[in-house]
Amino acid sequence: MTAINALAPTADELDLEQGRLFEKLPGRSDTSIARFCDELHKLPRSSYAEALLGMGHLYEAFDLMFAIIASSVQATHDVSPYDARYVTMQNVLQPFASEYGIEPGRPLQNTHRKLYAEFYESATGEPWPALYPAHSSSKWLACGRHWTKVMVERLQGDDLDLCQRAKYNLGYHWAVEALSVGEFDHLTAAWQSLGFHAPYMDAHCEVEEEHAGCAIGAVVAFSSVEDPLVVKGARDHESDLAGFYDQCTELISGTPSI
């Protein structure tokens, strides 16, 4: 693997690289998220707690995924150049730290999980549970757990060597961050239309473009947007994200009206 250039890419150069990677995605997830948000008004308020718990399970699982992605990059320490690796790790760790309220140059903030718990409480009138129930008949929680399993297993891919897995995971990571920009725009508008203003959504909208910049910086530092493994990782996440929201939409349509 070739070491990275001594000169870091400019913001404009990274924007161009990000555009090139976006061109390799079919755009399926935006359609699925928009459809879910269009149908959200049909979900009875009595089902909010169940739905938000199941969706929250997957949202929290991204913290686990970020940990796996960071670990996969550092695991190449015997086979990848140090400069490429440490720049990549910086770019991966910044969005990860943000989940826990840690942002460079900013006071310690609320964790995203705390903000989500406050959103849950405002929407449901119930406290966020201390634990996800080990046994539940909830189809929403089953949905969240299913897509958590799918995404985590992709990142753990045992059929790849260390560098291959890191490249795939960085493509997946980029798609997580880049696609969440539009995802949270849709979600914010949908929940606001139902009368809920959520700082959880605002926190994501405030940082997601910056985090997408970190994610493309990680790709460029360690590999390239033309690498087939990077592209596959990005496409796989878009497919998984679309699958999650498609199933959530199906759960809304299967929920009896009040």
Side-chain angles (χ1 to χ4, degrees):
M1 185 179 133
T2 304
I4 61 171
N5 293 330
L7 296 176
T10 66
D12 286 344
E13 288 169 338
L14 288 176
D15 283 345
L16 287 173
E17 293 299 295
Q18 183 153 245
R20 291 169 61 195
L21 197 44
F22 262 120
E23 289 174 356
K24 301 179 188 301
L25 300 181
R28 179 186 162 203
S29 65
D30 189 70
T31 300
S32 296
I33 295 164
R35 184 185 305 116
F36 167 78
C37 289
D38 286 344
E39 295 295 306
L40 188 57
H41 70 280
K42 297 179 182 178
L43 182 69
R45 292 205 174 199
S46 60
S47 297
Y48 281 6
E50 186 180 0
L52 287 173
L53 184 66
M55 297 180 74
H57 183 282
L58 179 65
Y59 294 157
E60 185 175 2
F62 282 103
D63 297 344
L64 168 59
M65 290 182 242
F66 293 153
I68 293 170
I69 292 162
S71 177
S72 76
V73 173
Q74 190 57 41
T76 68
H77 76 281
D78 204 31
V79 290
S80 67
Y82 176 75
D83 285 351
R85 192 168 59 254
Y86 93 77
V87 172
T88 303
M89 287 296 289
Q90 286 178 330
N91 277 296
V92 169
L93 290 174
Q94 185 168 326
F96 187 17
S98 177
E99 293 288 322
Y100 295 94
I102 304 168
E103 293 277 358
R106 298 173 184 168
L108 190 66
Q109 302 172 79
N110 286 327
T111 67
H112 286 191
R113 179 55 16 179
K114 182 177 186 298
L115 293 174
Y116 190 83
E118 291 173 353
F119 169 46
Y120 176 92
E121 291 173 16
S122 70
T124 68
E126 302 175 11
W128 178 257
L131 291 171
Y132 296 102
H135 304 288
S136 172
S137 61
S138 169
K139 292 182 179 180
W140 285 94
L141 188 56
C143 172
R145 284 176 165 150
H146 168 75
W147 289 104
T148 292
K149 183 174 184 291
V150 168
M151 295 184 189
V152 167
E153 287 183 350
R154 284 201 192 276
L155 296 173
Q156 292 173 330
D158 294 332
D159 57 334
L160 301 174
D161 66 30
L162 292 174
C163 276
Q164 289 173 335
R165 184 179 301 115
K167 291 177 180 180
Y168 175 88
N169 285 3
L170 289 171
Y172 202 95
H173 176 253
W174 170 79
V176 167
E177 297 295 358
L179 295 176
S180 69
V181 175
E183 176 187 6
F184 278 93
D185 285 343
H186 282 303
L187 290 171
T188 299
W191 283 107
Q192 285 184 344
S193 73
L194 297 174
F196 296 102
H197 175 77
Y200 170 77
M201 306 291 181
D202 295 342
H204 276 277
C205 291
E206 181 181 346
V207 299
E208 289 305 338
E209 288 190 8
E210 178 182 341
H211 290 176
C214 291
I216 196 63
V219 168
V220 171
F222 200 87
S223 184
S224 85
V225 299
E226 300 298 331
D227 190 299
L229 285 165
V230 169
V231 174
K232 178 170 172 51
R235 288 176 173 169
D236 281 353
H237 178 65
E238 185 185 47
S239 175
D240 293 342
L241 189 64
F244 169 67
Y245 279 103
D246 285 344
Q247 187 170 352
C248 288
T249 302
E250 292 169 5
L251 290 173
I252 291 175
S253 65
T255 303
S257 299
I258 291 179

